[in-house]
Amino acid sequence: MTDREQQLAGLKEICFEGFVMDFFVSYRGTLLDNPRVNTLEEPERHSFHCLLDVNRCVSSGYEMLLDPQFVGNGTGNRYGRALRLNADGNEQVLRVARPVGERGYCSSCTGPSGSIDEGFRATVYGFLVPNSGSPPTLNVTEVRATTGECGDEMFIPNVDQISVVLGGGNSAVKAHGGFMVTAWGFILPFGVISARFLRHRPDGLWFKIHMGCQILGYALACIGLIVAFANFGNVFEDGMGASFRHAVCGLVTMICGLLQVINGLNRPHAPQPKGKDDNDEEEEEEGEGKTKIRFVWEILHKATGYSTIVLAYVTIYFGSEVAGVDKDTFRGVFYGTLVFAALASMAAIMDKLMFNTKQEEEEEEQQQVPPKRTMGNEQEEQATEDKDDVDDKA
């Protein structure tokens, strides 16, 4: 067997050098603390903070990236995912990288001021695990925070062993985003639109739509929140980045949504004229018999509702920033929610205008039609005429 055949069979130690990347960021497709940067295009911008501090990154394990000039296959400047480190290799990365990272910028780093804080390159030694997938697993014997040691002995995996595919861990992102966008981008806003523009419809139709949308929408949002808690860990350890902004806005939105549900279910009912529905439009607009507590409740409920929907759109936008390889998809969906809200509002306004116009036309027609003559009316008119004749003769 040749030396390379022995290396591929895991019988001879290999030497490899390149950037170290955590699998969490590879699954995302973009850097966690710089979501506009593709993971395989600029790994030199991957921060030590994310690599060594953030639990989601550390617990996902590490892999070695192959420099673009060795990747080939028309991938341009993209790096290749070349080797997956085993558990011992992951521990060695932490032990070697933290002493060379700048103290303070990286909370677990112990290096002096002026040390590197982005783009950790290292040299690894170990034995390949045959038939361990793409990229193949390396049973690491040593990790060094230096480069240039391999020289001509640098191991280059076979083309079919190098992966340039990102993602694979975004199913939870899709599930979370799907539930949240459906709830906060479509269902809940439509419930608000119905309460604002459909009060002209009879039988309290707006209220039925509003209540149904709010309950269904918030239930879906709760499922999305559970998905986030179960899969994304502590997003607040990422600092003040995009994930932090999305998480804070999302939690505030969910809390406000819960308060709206509780507020709506415990609303004070204003006195109604006899025969009026409790959610009749005329009473709501005229405010007859409306108590002070009802007046204050309406202002609070509407103000909080509108503000929460606006904050939800902001949260969706921030969410698209941290969606990794699905960023463009979620960004497009975000713009779609804005278009939906605009079209739904215009449709509701047009419905109200057409409904009011029809009502006015019907009222005018009723005013123009003469009163219907009855037998009793004819007898009264005849009696009046006879009396007038008698008076004239007299």
Side-chain angles (χ1 to χ4, degrees):
M1 296 177 67
T2 64
D3 287 347
R4 181 168 181 82
E5 289 175 339
Q6 292 183 55
Q7 289 176 332
L8 292 173
L11 301 176
K12 183 176 182 179
E13 187 178 58
I14 69 168
C15 178
F16 183 92
E17 61 183 54
F19 283 106
V20 179
M21 186 63 62
D22 57 89
F23 273 97
F24 176 77
V25 170
S26 293
Y27 288 148
R28 277 175 50 86
T30 61
L31 302 184
L32 180 62
D33 43 13
N34 199 339
R36 290 183 172 84
V37 177
N38 185 288
T39 301
L40 295 184
E41 292 180 358
E42 299 180 78
E44 68 275 10
R45 299 178 63 181
H46 186 38
S47 71
F48 271 51
H49 166 67
C50 177
L51 188 72
L52 306 174
D53 290 343
V54 179
N55 182 63
R56 287 175 292 165
C57 300
V58 175
S59 62
S60 68
Y62 298 106
E63 62 182 351
M64 301 298 297
L65 301 186
L66 183 65
D67 292 341
Q69 65 267 29
F70 301 117
V71 177
N73 294 332
T75 56
N77 295 323
R78 290 171 68 90
Y79 287 73
R81 301 170 62 187
L83 297 171
R84 177 193 296 263
L85 306 186
N86 66 349
D88 185 60
N90 295 332
E91 291 297 325
Q92 290 195 49
V93 167
L94 296 174
R95 289 198 299 267
V96 170
R98 283 169 173 162
V100 300
E102 183 173 359
R103 187 195 306 268
Y105 180 81
C106 163
S107 62
S108 62
C109 294
T110 58
S113 176
S115 302
I116 57 177
D117 52 29
E118 292 181 334
F120 178 56
R121 287 184 69 91
T123 299
V124 296
Y125 296 87
F127 295 87
L128 286 178
V129 177
N131 304 317
S132 54
S134 174
T137 299
L138 181 69
N139 286 328
V140 178
T141 56
E142 186 177 5
V143 177
R144 298 179 182 176
T146 57
T147 56
E149 295 186 10
C150 295
D152 295 337
E153 299 299 320
M154 166 80 169
F155 175 77
I156 307 296
N158 293 334
V159 174
D160 61 347
Q161 294 178 309
I162 302 171
S163 174
V164 292
V165 177
L166 294 171
N170 255 25
S171 58
V173 172
K174 294 177 181 178
H176 169 71
F179 281 117
M180 288 301 194
V181 169
T182 301
W184 290 107
F186 295 101
I187 298 178
L188 289 164
F190 186 71
V192 173
I193 291 170
S194 68
R196 179 64 182 87
F197 298 115
L198 295 181
R199 290 174 175 262
H200 58 283
R201 285 292 178 176
D203 301 323
L205 177 63
W206 72 269
F207 183 77
K208 298 172 184 176
I209 295 176
H210 179 69
M211 285 292 290
C213 287
Q214 305 316 95
I215 294 175
L216 174 61
Y218 196 75
L220 293 178
C222 287
I223 297 175
L225 185 64
I226 293 173
V227 172
F229 283 150
N231 292 275
F232 303 145
N234 181 16
V235 297
F236 297 104
E237 63 183 350
D238 302 340
M240 300 296 290
S243 294
F244 177 84
R245 295 194 297 269
H246 174 67
V248 170
C249 289
L251 286 176
V252 173
T253 300
M254 288 297 295
I255 292 172
C256 290
L258 177 60
L259 293 177
Q260 280 294 89
V261 172
I262 297 173
N263 191 15
L265 294 175
N266 293 277
R267 65 191 182 280
H269 294 275
Q272 300 291 327
K274 186 177 180 179
K276 291 289 185 179
D277 185 90
D278 185 52
N279 302 299
D280 191 271
E281 161 66 4
E282 181 180 342
E283 189 281 328
E284 289 282 348
E285 289 188 351
E286 293 181 1
E288 294 180 0
K290 188 180 297 184
T291 61
K292 287 184 178 180
I293 190 172
R294 172 74 183 194
F295 178 76
V296 172
W297 175 86
E298 288 185 1
I299 294 178
L300 178 63
H301 189 68
K302 292 177 181 179
T304 304
Y306 296 147
S307 301
T308 302
I309 292 299
V310 172
L311 183 59
Y313 284 122
V314 175
T315 304
I316 294 172
Y317 178 82
F318 284 153
S320 69
E321 286 288 301
V322 296
V325 292
D326 297 307
K327 172 183 175 181
D328 292 339
T329 299
F330 277 105
R331 181 62 58 81
V333 173
F334 165 73
Y335 291 128
T337 62
L338 298 180
V339 173
F340 170 80
L343 293 178
S345 297
M346 288 189 291
I349 293 173
M350 289 298 297
D351 180 78
K352 183 173 183 178
L353 293 175
M354 295 174 64
F355 184 87
N356 291 341
T357 300
K358 184 178 179 180
Q359 289 283 85
E360 293 174 357
E361 291 176 352
E362 291 178 353
E363 291 177 359
E364 291 179 357
E365 291 179 357
Q366 291 177 358
Q367 293 175 357
Q368 294 174 359
V369 175
K372 186 176 180 180
R373 296 175 64 87
T374 64
M375 182 64 67
N377 290 338
E378 291 179 356
Q379 293 176 351
E380 291 180 0
E381 291 178 0
Q382 184 63 43
T384 301
E385 291 177 0
D386 294 343
K387 181 179 179 181
D388 291 340
D389 292 341
V390 172
D391 292 340
D392 290 341
K393 293 179 179 180

